[in-house]
């Protein structure tokens, strides 16, 4: 490189291990990929038509920085109705996917020297973004509590870090990678402490519509004055590639986030915003048929894995099963994932990619076809059969 004094924090960050592995094993011919959080459904037709109409109508100009007023209002109404929230258009920012909303939030909230509590295992988006603000993540391994951050644990961690200027916490429920959706009482118990401790909450609720047998409780309902709710169309409307998300926050903080957003992206693509208006006004039920199918697939994967000796975390949300590799497999989760990919042509993500607590686990995305899931279960069964036979062969 011409000079070597580029951003040292960025230099110290690695590419997402998740995407790296996905790309690596993508080269294996005939591989079945259950790696990325990518719905295998198509975007609902009425939303696609709205985008096509917007293009035909030459909706090709800049919109206001915060997004189209009609979209901000429709989004606030949509999520208010679904999750008992009380937001207006003024609390609403239209973002380039949930990812940009998370980034704008940290830019608005954090200063050098701040710390942020991050329960793990967790989706590997937040840590690099926290570090880029010269802030420090405090990782809290939740594996001993079945991957739920308990109020007792939160209180202990806060007491241990009184000197560290803890400013915020990241919550992601339903969770990627564990598939755990917090119950209302679990959320309330955390909210009580967070209120008392006056912490900001970055609540990534991108999987809020994907719950099985329970309804999502939003931190935006329980702690509206100190929460940023992140949501979007990627998962609920099978629109990952459209890059359309939302952030909801108290008005004063929103004014700060708006600046971060402006200097990063200006705004999301105009015709995508028109498609999003359609989703928010007429797509309230788009996710329901997907949820039914996901639930059936989840049951299928969970049962098969349990029969093979995997312990499965309570999978009542999102579209992931987080499964503990049986002790008969001696390697770590990356070795398991590599063997499964190269020997059985099935790709899953090693739990270690999601931080402390995930080392003995694999994450399987069941946002995939029935055939792919059946093939994956057969591959895992074969790998387990092979590992169980190993000691016998060695003994002979
Ligand atoms: C927890 C979580 N947050 C955010 C994202 C990214 O969402 P988007 O594609 O809308 O940026 C994902 C994607 O997998 C996710 O799992």
């Amino acid at each position: 490189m011409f000079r070597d004094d580029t951003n040292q924090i960025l230099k110290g960050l690695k590419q997402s291990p998740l995407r790296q592995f996905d790309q690596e094993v993508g080269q294996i011919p005939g591989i079945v990929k259950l790696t990325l959080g990518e719905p295998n459904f198509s975007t609902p037709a009425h939303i696609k038509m709205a985008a096509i109409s917007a293009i035909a109508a030459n909706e090709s100009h800049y919109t206001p920085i915060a997004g189209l007023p009609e979209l901000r209002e429709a989004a606030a109404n949509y999520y208010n109705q679904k999750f008992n929230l009380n937001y207006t258009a003024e609390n609403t920012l239209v973002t380039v996917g949930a990812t940009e909303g998370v980034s704008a939030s940290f830019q608005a909230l954090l200063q050098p020297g701040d710390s942020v509590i991050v329960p793990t295992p967790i989706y590997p988006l937040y840590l690099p973004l926290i570090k880029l603000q010269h802030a420090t993540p405090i990782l809290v391994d939740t594996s001993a509590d079945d991957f739920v951050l308990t109020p007792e644990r939160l209180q202990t961690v806060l007491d241990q870090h009184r000197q560290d200027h803890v400013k915020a916490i990241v919550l992601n429920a339903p969770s990627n990678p564990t598939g755990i959706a917090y119950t209302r009482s679990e959320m309330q118990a955390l909210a009580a402490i967070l209120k008392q401790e006056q912490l900001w909450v970055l609540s990534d609720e991108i999987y809020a519509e994907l719950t099985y047998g329970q309804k999502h409780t939003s931190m935006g309902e329980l702690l509206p004055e100190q929460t940023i709710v992140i949501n979007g169309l990627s998962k609920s409307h099978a629109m990952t590639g459209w890059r359309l998300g939302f952030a909801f926050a108290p008005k004063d903080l929103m004014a700060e986030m708006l600046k971060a957003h402006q200097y990063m992206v200006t705004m999301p693509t105009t015709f995508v915003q028109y498609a999003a208006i359609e989703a928010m006004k007429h797509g309230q039920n788009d996710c329901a048929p997907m949820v039914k199918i996901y639930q059936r697939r989840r049951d299928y994967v969970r049962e098969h894995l349990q029969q093979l000796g995997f312990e499965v975390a309570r999978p009542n949300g999102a579209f992931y099963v987080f499964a503990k590799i049986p002790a008969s497999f001696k390697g770590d989760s990356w070795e398991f994932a590599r063997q499964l990919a190269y020997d059985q042509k099935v790709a899953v993500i090693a739990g270690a990619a999601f931080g402390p607590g995930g080392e003995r686990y694999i994450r399987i995305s069941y946002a995939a076809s029935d055939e792919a899931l059946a093939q994956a279960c057969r591959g895992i069964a074969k790998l387990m059969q092979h590992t169980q036979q190993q000691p016998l062969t060695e003994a002979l």
Side-chain angles (χ1 to χ4, degrees):
M1 200 188 291
F2 157 64
R3 284 172 58 154
D4 199 26
D5 54 357
T6 54
N7 184 332
Q8 293 303 299
I9 299 180
L10 201 55
K11 241 192 193 144
L13 298 177
K14 294 196 179 74
Q15 283 231 317
S16 156
L18 213 149
R19 288 211 169 250
Q20 255 178 359
F21 183 73
D22 178 71
Q23 273 168 19
E24 177 193 324
V25 297
Q27 315 292 327
I28 301 172
I31 188 115
V32 176
K33 286 212 292 179
L34 306 179
T35 42
L36 297 185
E38 172 83 89
N40 72 322
F41 297 110
S42 300
T43 300
H46 68 111
I47 301 175
K48 291 196 279 197
M49 289 315 297
I52 291 167
S53 303
I55 294 171
N58 293 313
E59 296 296 359
S60 54
H61 304 281
Y62 290 126
T63 70
I65 303 291
L68 289 166
E70 189 183 352
L71 175 55
R72 293 169 74 199
E73 191 181 332
N77 289 341
Y78 179 97
Y79 291 103
N80 285 349
Q81 240 169 26
K82 285 208 180 251
F83 303 118
N84 205 23
L85 300 166
N86 200 18
Y87 291 123
T88 66
E90 286 180 297
N91 301 113
T92 308
L93 179 65
V94 185
T95 58
V96 181
T99 302
E100 193 244 320
V102 174
S103 189
S105 303
F106 286 139
Q107 287 185 41
L109 285 178
L110 300 178
Q111 302 193 90
D114 288 340
S115 301
V116 181
I117 294 184
V118 183
T120 66
I122 200 159
Y123 179 57
L125 168 68
Y126 317 99
L127 302 188
L129 293 178
I130 292 168
K131 289 179 187 166
L132 281 169
Q133 296 309 310
H134 299 248
T136 308
I138 296 173
L139 305 186
V140 181
D141 175 356
T142 60
S143 56
D145 295 313
D146 296 328
F147 302 112
V148 171
L149 179 65
T150 63
E152 296 78 19
R153 188 75 197 287
L154 174 60
Q155 191 64 66
T156 308
V157 172
L158 286 170
D159 290 341
Q160 283 166 346
H161 289 273
R162 289 284 166 216
Q163 310 305 319
D164 295 331
H165 210 270
V166 179
K167 185 181 266 182
I169 182 170
V170 174
L171 292 176
N172 169 227
S175 155
N176 176 7
T178 64
I180 286 188
Y182 280 43
T183 64
R184 187 167 183 80
S185 59
E186 285 167 342
M187 288 294 255
Q188 283 168 327
L190 287 181
I193 296 181
L194 295 169
K195 189 178 173 83
Q196 196 184 327
E197 298 278 347
Q198 299 275 292
L199 291 192
W200 287 107
V201 185
L202 180 85
S203 190
D204 182 344
E205 304 183 9
I206 189 80
Y207 296 101
E209 293 197 48
L210 299 177
T211 55
Y212 312 106
Q214 70 178 68
K215 225 176 121 34
H216 174 70
T217 300
S218 174
M219 264 300 164
E221 177 198 341
L222 303 180
L223 295 176
E225 273 120 51
Q226 61 193 85
T227 297
I228 303 172
V229 174
I230 301 293
N231 215 316
L233 303 185
S234 296
K235 317 291 173 170
S236 56
H237 292 75
M239 291 175 67
T240 46
W242 295 67
R243 311 308 302 131
L244 201 290
F246 301 105
F248 300 94
K251 281 180 206 162
D252 292 354
L253 182 64
M254 185 50 80
E256 298 307 304
M257 290 169 62
L258 193 61
K259 288 184 268 177
H261 165 81
Q262 167 166 19
Y263 296 128
M264 271 192 292
V265 298
T266 318
M267 71 206 51
T269 307
T270 299
F271 61 81
V272 173
Q273 292 193 52
Y274 278 96
I277 292 175
E278 172 65 23
M280 293 290 93
K281 286 194 167 170
H282 304 117
Q284 285 87 349
N285 298 321
D286 286 351
C287 195
M290 302 186 212
V291 167
K292 262 198 186 146
I293 295 171
Y294 284 142
Q295 185 158 3
R296 181 171 51 71
R297 292 175 181 168
R298 175 205 65 168
D299 292 343
Y300 175 86
V301 173
R302 176 175 55 179
E303 276 160 31
H304 276 75
L305 288 177
Q306 282 173 337
Q307 278 166 17
L308 294 171
F310 287 76
E311 278 170 42
V312 175
R314 181 179 90 190
N316 49 356
F319 39 54
Y320 307 105
V321 163
F322 205 53
K324 189 169 192 178
I325 303 164
S328 55
F329 185 86
K330 296 298 174 216
D332 64 18
S333 62
W334 281 116
E335 282 163 333
F336 188 93
R338 285 226 146 69
Q339 276 193 33
L340 190 62
Y342 286 96
D343 299 351
Q344 307 300 334
K345 294 185 189 289
V346 175
V348 300
I349 299 289
F354 305 99
E359 295 81 359
R360 286 295 306 169
Y361 288 76
I362 49 170
R363 187 197 75 176
I364 298 174
S365 164
Y366 53 85
S369 70
D370 292 352
E371 303 84 78
L373 295 176
Q375 220 173 315
C377 287
R378 281 197 296 273
I380 295 171
K382 273 200 197 150
L383 179 60
M384 289 316 299
Q385 217 174 11
H386 183 69
T387 46
Q388 272 147 16
Q389 282 164 358
Q390 205 86 324
L392 262 185
T393 331
E394 277 166 15
L396 291 171

